[in-house]
Amino acid sequence: MSRVIRATRSSLRRHVLKSTTYQGTDGTAWFAGSEPRAPSIAAYFCGDDVQAGSSGLVRHGRIPRRIEDIAGDGGLAVLRLPDPDKEFTDILRRAISVPSLVDIHTELPPDLDGLRTQLLTSTTKEDFRRIRKANFTYRVTTDPEAVREFHTNHYVPLVKDRYPDDGRIWSLEQMLAALERGGELVCADIDGEWVAGIFNMAHETDYALLSLGIRDADDAVRQKRVIAALIVQSLERAVEIGRDRATLGRSLPFLGKGPVWFKAKWGGIVSSDPHTSCMQMFMDLRHVAVRRMLASSPVIHSEGGALVATKWLDPGEKPLQVTTREAGRFPGVTRWYVFGEAETLAAGDAELSERERIVQIPLDPSSSFPLWLGDLLPRPSGVT
């Protein structure tokens, strides 16, 4: 009997996926398949007040129609298939393939003077001013007792505060074990009081920035630019011990004012591990909610092994300035597909054309037929 039950369950898993709906002020998102960061991804579309709604199981055969219904009503549909079946061939052409997370690293100069010159830019000038004003002092420790205190009072509270629904937390045992493999704790103090830290790993060829913590997730401390201070101190530490590369962790694949943007300020280069799993995102650009997300949080996705970004350009001088400026940032993003109404693109053509990475795609969102993002993008050579 147990073999029959196991076989039945195995067959069921092959033909159904778990689905969850998320809702917020800005819209609705529907996820089918296992996506651990679904709540955080949904927040980019639904807004900060996003809440999980109904959940259940959906049969494979019903997924294409469900996607059409969700996207047709102006929502975001996200699909993760472990083994795509032929029945999904047509619907997948309408999607973009988005890595679950993108990797970010920076190349380091051989000395601290070179690093300070590299880090001090117009974008980071205010961070450095705030850091100096806070008067942080720093220390590096491998003391297991300090790691225990950091894990309990700094690291866990910050993860739970920033990612209450889907934050991944290292266990204390994992962090302590990492000490034996090159782990160390960079601490930030104010007037002798330990306020924040970051647990890093010194590998043979690079220095990895891993786990940030702020004591009791105190927002007043965060406002002093302590995260920026710890990143700078960690990069200095990497140069001091002879590393020419630092990894800045992994982030969700959205641009705009978010984690990728913040890390890019410190020289971050975006890349994607070829073994990173991807999700399929379905968006119909006829809808305001879709265009709003692409305007504020351009999506990084895969194109023939490269990373590209897609955004929507709203009318006006400020959106144009932001677009041309951002398209010059984010090394590792090889191309920007900028959608907009014909009049908007024509008005900004002189500025947009100066950026080699920008591909302008005029669009009339008043179409009576679906405007699937995956259908509208140029297909890489060899893809039909």
Side-chain angles (χ1 to χ4, degrees), residues 24-28 42-49 73-76 254-256 283-299 310-315 319 339 365:
T25 300
D26 293 339
T28 299
Y44 281 91
F45 189 82
C46 303
D48 292 337
D49 62 347
D73 287 337
L76 170 71
F254 298 95
L255 302 178
M283 288 175 269
D284 182 347
L285 272 71
R286 291 178 300 170
H287 300 285
V288 172
V290 173
R291 300 196 300 273
R292 180 173 53 233
M293 185 191 80
L294 292 176
S296 62
S297 303
V299 179
T310 289
K311 80 157 297 172
W312 176 266
L313 178 62
D314 286 326
F339 286 86

Side-chain angles (χ1 to χ4, degrees), residues 100-383:
S100 296
L101 295 165
V102 292
D103 300 295
I104 304 174
H105 71 277
T106 185
E107 304 296 337
L108 301 172
D111 56 64
L112 291 177
D113 287 341
L115 177 66
R116 287 161 188 156
T117 300
Q118 177 177 305
L119 294 181
L120 184 57
T121 67
S122 60
T123 309
T124 62
K125 186 176 180 180
E126 177 63 15
D127 292 275
F128 277 111
R129 189 190 71 79
R130 294 277 195 94
I131 290 169
R132 287 193 299 271
K133 183 178 180 181
N135 199 28
F136 294 111
T137 57
Y138 309 95
R139 52 197 167 85
V140 178
T141 181
T142 57
D143 181 357
E145 288 305 314
V147 171
R148 289 188 177 92
E149 182 179 348
F150 169 76
H151 188 276
T152 301
N153 298 333
H154 299 75
Y155 167 62
V156 172
L158 185 64
V159 175
K160 288 185 176 180
D161 180 71
R162 293 177 67 183
Y163 307 106
D165 297 314
D166 56 7
R168 288 187 169 184
I169 296 178
W170 274 37
S171 69
L172 175 59
E173 291 73 20
Q174 288 173 315
M175 198 170 280
L176 289 171
L179 282 176
E180 306 298 322
R181 306 192 305 273
E184 59 183 30
L185 191 58
V186 177
C187 306
D189 301 329
I190 297 179
D191 297 329
E193 185 177 3
W194 186 10
V195 296
I198 182 170
F199 188 85
N200 299 330
M201 288 284 290
H203 299 296
E204 282 191 22
T205 58
D206 69 80
Y207 190 74
L209 284 62
L210 296 178
S211 302
L212 280 160
I214 298 175
R215 190 189 59 214
D216 300 325
D218 189 340
D219 192 59
V221 173
R222 186 184 66 82
Q223 293 292 340
K224 295 178 184 291
R225 296 295 205 272
V226 72
I227 295 176
L230 287 167
I231 289 176
V232 172
Q233 191 65 25
S234 296
L235 297 180
E236 290 186 358
R237 173 67 174 166
V239 171
E240 288 172 353
I241 63 176
R243 302 300 189 268
D244 58 9
R245 177 185 172 107
T247 58
L248 305 180
R250 314 184 86 191
S251 297
L252 292 173
F254 298 95
L255 302 178
K257 289 292 184 73
V260 178
W261 180 90
F262 181 77
K263 292 175 183 179
K265 289 208 305 183
W266 307 104
I269 300 169
V270 182
S271 62
S272 181
D273 187 320
H275 302 294
T276 298
S277 59
C278 287
M279 50 192 165
Q280 309 304 313
M281 283 192 177
F282 300 83
M283 288 175 269
D284 182 347
L285 272 71
R286 291 178 300 170
H287 300 285
V288 172
V290 173
R291 300 196 300 273
R292 180 173 53 233
M293 185 191 80
L294 292 176
S296 62
S297 303
V299 179
I300 300 174
H301 51 105
S302 301
E303 180 185 84
L307 291 179
V308 300
T310 289
K311 80 157 297 172
W312 176 266
L313 178 62
D314 286 326
E317 188 62 28
K318 184 175 181 180
L320 177 63
Q321 290 177 352
V322 170
T323 299
T324 54
R325 182 173 62 246
E326 297 298 276
R329 293 164 51 85
F330 306 109
V333 178
T334 61
R335 186 174 294 110
W336 282 68
Y337 292 114
V338 177
F339 286 86
E341 295 191 51
E343 296 82 356
T344 302
L345 296 181
D349 181 66
E351 294 87 345
L352 295 169
S353 297
E354 289 180 356
R355 294 291 185 185
E356 293 183 357
R357 288 195 281 176
I358 288 181
V359 177
Q360 301 179 51
I361 304 179
L363 186 71
D364 178 6
S366 65
S367 169
S368 57
F369 298 99
L371 296 173
W372 295 101
L373 178 54
D375 279 342
L376 296 169
L377 293 170
R379 297 200 178 275
S381 178
V383 177

Side-chain angles (χ1 to χ4, degrees), residues 79-93:
L79 174 64
R80 182 188 287 281
L81 285 170
D83 299 300
D85 298 328
K86 290 182 179 179
E87 63 189 303
F88 293 103
T89 300
D90 289 338
I91 195 71
L92 290 178
R93 294 179 190 276

